[in-house]
Amino acid sequence: MIKKFIKRILGVKNKANSQQPQVLGPKEHGIDPTLLSANAVRVTQTLQEAGFKAFVVGGAVRDLLLGVKPKDFDVATNATPEQVKRLFRRAFIIGKRFQIVHVMFGQDLIEVTTFRGASSEGAPKDEHGRVLRDNTFGEQHEDAARRDFTINAMYYDPASQTVLDYHNGIADIRSRTLRIIGLPEARFREDPVRLLRVVRFAAKLGFVIDPDTREPIQVMAPLINNVPAARVFDEMLKLLMSGHALACLQQLRKEGLHHGLLPLLDVVLEQPLGEKFVTLALAGTDERVRQGKGVSPGFLFAALLWHQVLEKWNAYQAASEYPIPALHLAADDVLDAQTEKLALQRRIATDMRDIWAMQPRFERRTGKSPYKLLEHPRLRAGYDFLLLRCESGEIDPEIGEWWTAFIAADGPGRAELLTRKPKVEEESPAPKKRRRRGGRNKQKAAPAEGSST
Ligand code: ATP
Ligand code: MG
């Protein structure tokens, strides 16, 4: 009895600081209210007026504390998904296991999540300790403890302008430290995707990974292999589209995590041409993201895997395959190898194929083919890709320059450009019967009629 009582007191005491949040007022946290989304405020207000607790949570609070405009807003509440849904005109319950509510305002989406319970001990796990199902509702402090990093576990109430901090996230924001909540090894084990997240946040925010958090990372790395491919893909996509993809990949390498994520990426990064190509592609993507321009995942993955395609393309041609079928076979091989681990969505895989299949067509600069290519719906992506190939030293920059001029030119200008026949094509008039050998020089590979896309 007494033992139990003492234990309980101690237990409560132990957990006291993670159950009782530190509360910070506007002067202490310094959040600029103009960085908040009006819709997020509307959602918390509506929920609070209906008698529920509601806070902006997670990455948005972290970004607000860093003085950065958050790219999206999540709201956490003690209302159940059904209760949330009833309060908004356009609200949709998403997900089977742990339901969340998407509240829509025009194009703007606010994701509303009910506080999750801290049930990971009793939750079903796979043989490596990864939590399989964990879908109970809980108290706010339990919700905080389930989040990944201290800086991602703070709650902001727009009405009172207070921040609730359960895990000393504020201190970590100030010292620019990335620290996992709880025991690092256990937290990585129950969800190995956090290994990718730690790298993404460290690179994106320029934060230092706390030594205890960092220590188990490399040993735990193989656990990513047991995570369902679709989740790895989602997290990988976030990483690549973060505007800091290059920094993220460098960080992945530093942490020894680059092996096995994109199974073929390891090899790519070890070939000098491949590395240059990937580096240029990612630098370009990062630049676009930072300028607020759209980035297509298809383009990105097409670039990441291009040198694998090239290698296989050459191999098929060396084995007497015609250039165009060889390119398609190479694309199949590379996509198959990736899908196992990454679950590339079909739409993305189609974009990748389109971009790859267009490449040999750029090398035909006679007759009607360049005009046909101009009408290709994905011309822009294919052309940007071509420029990367030029810039990386894979092909003659003259081809890229020619296309830049051709796209920009008017009718007579285009006709004039077509008379400027590139040397290569003058020397070897398009053969009627193609030699079965092919492929010694992929750059000269002429595409078969109508075989693209
Ligand atoms: P970003 O600004 O890049 O979107 P974020 O922190 O908002 O960063 P999300 O993936 O949108 O990242 O996740 C929202 C929040 O959900 C996180 O801040 C974190 O609190 C929690 N979270 C997400 N993924 C996990 C995870 N694997 N384990 C624990 N908590 C997680
Ligand atoms: Mg987010």
Side-chain angles (χ1 to χ4, degrees):
M1 262 299 269
I2 292 175
K3 246 190 190 168
K4 222 177 176 181
F5 179 67
I6 292 175
K7 237 184 179 173
R8 223 172 66 205
I9 299 272
L10 282 178
V12 168
K13 212 176 166 193
N14 280 344
K15 286 181 189 159
N17 49 5
S18 61
Q19 286 194 10
Q20 288 304 321
Q22 197 186 335
V23 182
L24 294 99
K27 283 216 185 75
E28 293 154 293
H29 59 64
I31 287 178
D32 172 2
T34 64
L35 293 178
L36 259 108
S37 123
N39 291 329
V41 177
R42 231 195 303 177
V43 170
T44 52
Q45 198 179 348
T46 306
L47 282 160
Q48 288 171 357
E49 280 166 8
F52 299 108
K53 286 190 184 182
F55 301 88
V56 171
V57 70
V61 182
R62 175 197 71 220
D63 290 346
L64 288 169
L65 287 166
L66 291 168
V68 176
K69 195 174 174 64
K71 65 173 168 48
D72 45 43
F73 285 83
D74 297 329
V75 166
T77 179
N78 62 349
T80 64
E82 288 295 339
Q83 290 170 325
V84 175
K85 186 178 153 70
R86 259 177 259 139
L87 291 170
F88 300 94
R89 202 164 55 84
R90 291 180 64 221
F92 309 93
I93 297 184
I94 310 287
K96 281 206 180 105
R97 275 182 15 211
F98 188 87
Q99 297 182 321
I100 57 176
V101 185
H102 281 177
V103 180
M104 307 290 306
F105 301 94
Q107 290 286 66
D108 195 17
L109 163 75
I110 307 289
E111 210 172 276
V112 184
T113 313
T114 306
F115 295 142
R116 285 205 197 186
S119 63
S120 77
E121 270 139 55
K125 297 182 183 143
D126 76 1
E127 77 266 31
H128 304 283
R130 186 170 66 83
V131 172
L132 296 173
R133 273 189 311 282
D134 204 359
N135 42 7
T136 51
F137 297 140
E139 300 291 327
Q140 187 168 2
H141 68 87
E142 294 175 306
D143 184 82
R146 295 193 30 144
R147 293 179 181 271
D148 47 7
F149 304 104
T150 60
I151 58 166
N152 282 348
M154 290 178 274
Y155 301 78
Y156 180 65
D157 173 14
S160 62
Q161 294 192 30
T162 49
V163 168
L164 305 191
D165 179 9
Y166 289 85
H167 296 278
N168 274 321
I170 282 280
D172 285 337
I173 288 264
R174 291 188 178 140
S175 63
R176 307 186 77 78
T177 306
L178 203 56
R179 187 191 315 274
I180 204 160
I181 296 169
L183 297 171
E185 196 192 309
R187 297 305 308 286
F188 287 130
R189 191 174 286 284
E190 66 185 26
D191 184 6
V193 154
R194 291 173 187 148
L195 294 162
L196 288 178
R197 293 176 62 84
V198 81
V199 167
R200 171 161 69 95
F201 292 125
K204 174 175 153 175
L205 305 171
F207 275 31
V208 175
I209 305 173
D210 166 71
D212 288 344
T213 297
R214 184 170 188 177
E215 206 263 325
I217 290 181
Q218 199 148 3
V219 202
M220 301 263 113
L223 293 180
I224 293 190
N225 294 321
N226 310 314
V227 178
R231 273 204 76 209
V232 178
F233 179 79
D234 283 350
E235 227 21 80
M236 198 67 198
L237 199 56
K238 282 190 196 171
L239 189 148
L240 292 169
M241 310 281 251
S242 66
H244 302 266
L246 212 47
C248 282
L249 278 199
Q250 278 153 3
Q251 186 90 29
L252 280 176
R253 279 184 140 177
K254 202 164 127 198
E255 305 302 335
L257 284 175
H258 60 299
H259 287 290
L261 285 184
L262 281 167
L264 300 173
L265 189 60
D266 323 350
V267 195
V268 173
L269 290 172
E270 271 139 38
Q271 303 159 353
L273 263 181
E275 169 148 30
K276 180 134 191 239
F277 188 84
V278 166
T279 305
L280 282 169
L282 291 178
T285 305
D286 285 349
E287 187 54 37
R288 285 185 69 90
V289 173
R290 288 182 213 190
Q291 290 175 359
K293 293 186 189 160
V295 176
S296 118
F299 185 88
L300 200 58
F301 283 101
L304 287 176
L305 299 172
W306 173 240
H307 274 259
Q308 286 301 313
V309 174
L310 265 187
E311 197 177 283
K312 288 183 194 286
W313 188 15
N314 286 332
Y316 275 116
Q317 291 185 89
S320 304
E321 192 53 79
Y322 286 108
I324 296 304
L327 177 54
H328 285 276
L329 288 169
D332 285 343
D333 285 359
V334 171
L335 287 172
D336 286 348
Q338 290 301 315
T339 327
E340 247 178 59
K341 201 154 284 177
L342 263 182
L344 283 170
Q345 291 145 24
R346 190 173 306 181
R347 184 179 46 82
I348 295 178
T350 306
D351 282 356
M352 293 165 74
R353 249 180 230 287
D354 276 358
I355 291 169
W356 290 337
M358 249 188 275
Q359 297 311 308
R361 298 180 67 186
F362 284 112
E363 296 181 28
R364 281 195 120 194
R365 287 177 283 160
T366 49
K368 292 207 178 85
S369 7
Y371 291 104
K372 272 197 203 149
L373 196 47
L374 281 183
E375 286 160 22
H376 196 294
R378 311 274 301 135
L379 172 74
R380 192 74 216 177
Y383 162 74
D384 285 345
F385 200 86
L386 176 77
L387 294 185
L388 275 180
R389 295 173 65 209
C390 293
E391 210 184 329
S392 69
E394 182 204 324
I395 54 170
D396 190 345
E398 188 268 332
I399 303 180
E401 286 156 18
W402 189 92
W403 274 96
T404 305
F406 190 72
I407 290 171
D410 54 7
R414 284 181 180 162
E416 196 274 320
L417 277 161
L418 278 173
T419 62
R420 252 198 259 164
K421 280 188 188 168
K423 256 197 213 141
V424 177
E425 286 172 29
E426 267 171 2
E427 280 165 7
S428 55
K432 285 249 160 57
K433 260 192 241 160
R434 229 171 256 110
R435 281 169 300 156
R436 260 265 159 194
R437 203 154 46 87
R440 261 195 321 171
N441 185 348
K442 65 200 181 269
Q443 288 158 34
K444 291 178 194 161
E449 255 17 282
S451 62
S452 65
T453 64

